[in-house]
Amino acid sequence: MELLTPEVGLIFWMLIAFLLVFFILAKFAWPFIMKSVDERRDFIDRSVATAREANEKLAGIKEEGEKILKKAHEEELRILKTTEEAGAKLIKEAKTKAGAEADKLIAEARTAIEKEKEKAVKEIHNQVAALSIEIAEKILRRNLENRDAQRELADKLITEAKN
Amino acid sequence: MKHIKYILFAIALLTPLSTTLANEAEGKTEKISPKDIIFEHVLDAYSWHIFTAGGHHISLPLPIIVKGQNGWAVFSSSKLAHGAAYNGFFLSPETGKVVEEINGKEIRPLDLSLTKNACSILLVCILLSALFISLANSYRKDPYAGRKGFAGAMEMLFLFIYDDLIKPCVGKDYKKFAPYLLTVFFFIFFNNLLGLFPLFPGGANVTGNIAVTLVLALITFTITNVFGTKEYWKEIFWPDVPAWLKVPLPIMPLIEFIGIFTKPFALMMRLFANMLSGHMIVLVLVTLIFIFTSLMGAIAGSGVAVVSVLFSLFMLMLDVLVSFIQAYVFTMLSSIFIGMARVEPHLSKH
């Protein structure tokens, strides 16, 4: 049963050698390798996260740009519409204003014509009156000479007046 | 498919070689003892056998360090070759260990010899230190560089153990225990692989030696219990089971208490038995050639050699896999035991 009985000498050397190699590696090898490997993993994880974030941000920016573009387009349409409306309104206003002015002018002209007409009629009246008085005077003067002649004259005068 | 012809060529080369060796062995000794051959390869030794040429053993003598009745003695193992005695020390004919004779009885002195296994362990330790310190230095220079070749393979193994085994098994304070667990993994793995290599610096059955696995299991046992939390000890001596299982007869506490020792014991036996059996199967398959040659002659031996070499090849391939698996399993179980000893009190009782 030599196989199953551990030798003191080998236990001794094994213990010394193993503990020695353990302390050497634990001091000079494993910490650095562990640290590097962990750091590298963190670095890769971080890089992936950053790249993903950047991608997301880029997509966001693109979307935002599109939104801004859309908004600008809408604004443009709105401004165009309002300008058109304002123009139409202005034209309409101008038209109504001009119409009113014209009406006013026409009305004024009409009153002026009416006034002139009245004045003229009045003048005619006055002239007719004056003529009538003159005729009457002349008639009165002839009357004194000849009755027939007076009548003839009166007729003649009336005809004249009629004309 | 083109590789197959190379494999067949290698077998064709090896077959006559092994039969010649077998014939030679047949000529030398009347009877081959497979048990002796196998045990000679599997057990520890005072000298490191390199090869045998023309019936002459060429081996590297190793220092023998013993403390007998007359104090310490350090000398080369070549002094004890062929049954010779030195300073009253000689190799026992039965056990092959260094003994001294006191009052007509063979007594084992305190034997701290640098044996074949001890030298193999030291070799692996030097290899590991050099390898991982240089790897750490390359990490210190540029941690983000991609690693190629051998360093890349080591990094892959490192990440496999560190990320996928230690982190989930140990739990939140994995950083504290990772150095030990990583050392254990690479120590076992390198020793296993070196043990499979049949030529000189390899071939020592280190992890298939119970003293080695005993020390490894003992260290895991110590770490587990020294760093065990209050909850861990509470679960051993006052587990969360119906009261009649605890008083008056402490059935569960007893089982849990025994469990403290069975866990590292299983750890020790598993690695030891797996690696030992791997070595033994390969040796048995190779020894079959010699047995058949001595029993039925060279022709039968050659026939068996083809099959044996094929099987040995298969077994060695399997052993490479087993080398990794056993190192992995030992590390995983150590991680789990440590992780289990780091339990926190359960927040809610069901």
Side-chain angles (χ1 to χ4, degrees), chain A residues 4 18 20-21 24 32 34 49 63 67-68 71 75 84-85 87 98 105 122 127 131 135 140-141 158 160-161:
Chain A
L4 289 170
F18 185 81
L20 213 65
V21 82
I24 288 172
F32 302 108
M34 277 156 68
E63 208 171 283
K67 221 184 257 170
I68 287 169
K71 221 174 179 182
E75 189 82 349
E84 217 165 79
E85 266 170 13
L105 278 176
K122 220 175 181 178
Q127 271 181 6
L131 271 176
I135 292 163
L140 278 173
R141 251 187 251 156
I158 287 161
E160 274 174 17

Side-chain angles (χ1 to χ4, degrees), chain A residues 30-102:
Chain A
W30 301 134
F32 302 108
I33 302 179
M34 277 156 68
K35 203 173 135 235
S36 299
V37 163
D38 284 339
E39 262 173 17
R40 191 173 54 189
R41 182 179 308 103
D42 285 350
F43 177 74
I44 291 169
D45 285 352
R46 237 180 6 246
S47 302
V48 168
T50 315
R52 193 171 289 151
E53 212 170 272
N55 253 352
E56 268 165 22
K57 221 178 249 172
L58 199 68
I61 285 167
K62 218 171 171 184
E63 208 171 283
E64 209 163 289
E66 266 167 18
K67 221 184 257 170
I68 287 169
L69 218 66
K70 208 177 158 192
K71 221 174 179 182
H73 195 65
E74 269 168 14
E75 189 82 349
E76 190 192 336
L77 279 178
R78 198 180 62 77
I79 288 168
L80 263 177
K81 212 173 153 194
T82 39
T83 327
E84 217 165 79
E85 266 170 13
K89 205 172 151 198
L90 260 177
I91 289 165
K92 205 175 157 195
E93 243 169 40
K95 264 185 186 166
T96 41
K97 220 172 175 183
E101 195 77 1

